[in-house]
C-alpha cells in the first residue's frame, strides 16, 4: 500500500481538462518533499513529466502543469489529446519508510 | 545519445539468482546517483534500490534487503542489480533510472526495461 494515493482512473473528451490528484501524508509531501509526475504510455517506459511540483522538463508541452499544497499535489492536463492516454504516477520521498515512493498510478482514458 | 539500456532479464526458478545490467551512454555516468525501479505485470511502479554517484552508499526497499545488491562500475559506465533468493513476487519489468535533484530526488532518464520472470 503506497503512502501516496491516486484515483485509479480519470477520463475526458478530446480538448477537455482533467486533474489527477496525489494525496500524501506528513511523512512525505507534508514534510516538504517535492512531488514529481511521470507519464507511462502503453507498452513504454515511464517518462518524467513534471519535477519539483510544477516544473516541466524541456520538450513537455505546457498543456501539462503541476501544483502542490500541504499534503497533496495535482497534475492538470488541458486540451486533452488521444496520445495522452496512458498511466500517470506521482512520486516523492517518505521519511518513515526511508524510501522513494510512487502513487498507485492513474489510468487516463481519452473518450 | 543520452540513454540507458538494461539487459540480463529472463525466466528463473524460485530461489535462484540473476544479475541485471544497465549500460549508460551520452552523459557523465559518474556524476549521477542511480536507481532500479520495477513494475509487476499490470501493476504500478515500485522503487527497488538506490546507489550514490560514487557507489559509497546504497539503499534498498524492505522486501529486497539482504537479497538484492546494487552496484556500479563507473569506468565501464555500468549499473548492476544482483538478485538472489528470487521469489515469484519479484516477477516484474526492471528499469534503471538516473537520479537528479538535490533534496527531492526524481528520475529524469529511464531505460526501456528488462523482464524478470520467477517461475518453476
Amino acid at each position: 500500500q503506497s503512502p501516496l494515493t491516486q484515483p485509479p482512473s480519470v477520463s475526458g473528451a478530446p480538448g477537455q481538462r482533467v486533474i489527477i490528484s496525489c494525496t500524501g501524508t506528513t511523512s512525505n509531501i507534508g514534510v516538504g518533499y517535492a512531488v514529481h509526475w511521470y507519464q507511462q504510455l502503453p507498452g513504454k517506459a515511464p517518462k518524467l513529466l513534471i519535477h519539483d511540483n510544477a516544473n516541466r522538463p524541456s520538450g513537455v508541452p505546457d498543456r501539462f502543469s503541476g501544483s502542490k499544497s500541504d499534503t497533496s499535489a495535482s497534475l492538470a492536463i488541458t486540451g486533452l489529446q488521444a496520445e495522452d492516454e496512458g498511466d500517470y504516477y506521482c512520486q516523492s520521498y517518505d521519511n518513515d519508510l526511508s524510501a522513494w515512493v510512487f502513487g498507485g498510478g492513474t489510468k487516463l482514458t481519452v473518450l | 545519445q543520452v540513454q540507458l539500456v538494461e539487459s540480463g532479464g529472463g525466466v528463473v526458478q524460485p530461489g535462484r539468482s540473476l544479475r541485471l545490467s544497465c549500460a549508460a551512454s551520452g552523459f557523465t555516468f559518474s556524476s549521477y546517483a542511480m536507481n532500479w525501479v520495477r513494475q509487476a505485470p499490470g501493476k504500478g511502479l515500485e522503487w527497488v534500490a538506490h546507489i550514490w554517484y560514487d557507489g559509497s552508499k546504497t539503499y534498498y526497499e524492505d522486501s529486497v534487503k539482504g537479497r538484492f545488491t546494487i552496484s556500479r562500475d563507473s569506468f565501464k559506465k555500468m549499473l548492476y542489480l544482483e538478485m538472489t533468493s528470487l521469489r515469484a513476487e519479484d516477477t516484474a519489468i526492471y528499469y534503471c533510472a538516473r537520479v537528479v535533484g538535490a533534496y527531492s530526488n526524481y528520475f529524469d532518464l529511464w531505460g526501456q526495461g528488462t523482464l524478470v520472470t520467477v517461475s518453476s
Side-chain angles (χ1 to χ4, degrees):
Chain A
Q1 189 79 355
S2 171
L4 302 181
T5 302
Q6 297 180 235
S9 63
V10 297
S11 62
Q16 285 191 332
R17 176 178 184 253
V18 295
I19 295 177
I20 299 173
S21 62
C22 176
T23 302
T25 69
T26 53
S27 66
N28 42 68
I29 301 174
V31 80
Y33 289 110
V35 177
H36 320 288
W37 292 91
Y38 303 86
Q39 176 192 60
Q40 188 175 32
L41 299 177
K44 301 294 186 182
K47 169 193 164 187
L48 179 66
L49 201 60
I50 297 286
H51 68 88
D52 296 298
N53 306 321
N55 297 287
R56 280 187 310 276
S58 173
V60 174
D62 59 7
R63 301 187 296 106
F64 297 91
S65 62
S67 63
K68 174 193 166 186
S69 177
D70 297 327
T71 57
S72 65
S74 295
L75 172 71
I77 309 172
T78 58
L80 266 181
Q81 299 179 2
E83 55 261 38
D84 297 333
E85 202 163 85
D87 297 317
Y88 293 79
Y89 295 90
C90 60
Q91 175 254 314
S92 187
Y93 185 83
D94 191 279
N95 270 345
D96 287 355
L97 298 174
S98 296
W100 289 265
V101 291
F102 290 92
T106 298
K107 182 176 183 60
L108 169 64
T109 300
V110 181
L111 302 171
Chain B
Q1 186 179 0
V2 177
Q3 63 177 2
L4 298 168
V5 179
E6 301 94 336
S7 60
V11 180
V12 60
Q13 293 179 327
R16 303 298 290 265
S17 300
L18 200 63
R19 187 176 87 154
L20 305 183
S21 301
C22 170
S25 60
F27 65 97
T28 307
F29 180 69
S30 58
S31 296
Y32 292 88
M34 297 293 295
N35 272 2
W36 285 98
V37 175
R38 67 184 177 183
Q39 185 171 35
K43 302 297 184 182
L45 302 172
E46 178 184 40
W47 166 74
V48 174
H50 176 98
I51 186 167
W52 273 27
Y53 71 100
D54 60 356
S56 62
K57 289 184 185 285
T58 57
Y59 304 92
Y60 299 93
E61 190 272 328
D62 282 348
S63 71
V64 308
K65 276 180 190 172
R67 300 189 300 122
F68 289 12
T69 302
I70 187 172
S71 62
R72 64 191 298 159
D73 183 331
S74 288
F75 183 74
K76 293 182 179 178
K77 301 182 76 171
M78 294 291 295
L79 178 72
Y80 303 103
L81 186 68
E82 186 76 38
M83 304 184 294
T84 64
S85 302
L86 282 162
R87 306 167 181 166
E89 53 265 36
D90 296 318
T91 294
I93 297 173
Y94 285 74
Y95 297 98
C96 61
R98 188 172 73 176
V99 182
V100 293
Y103 178 61
S104 288
N105 293 161
Y106 57 96
F107 318 136
D108 74 331
L109 179 66
W110 296 66
Q112 85 289 350
T114 188
L115 177 62
V116 173
T117 303
V118 184
S119 173
S120 54

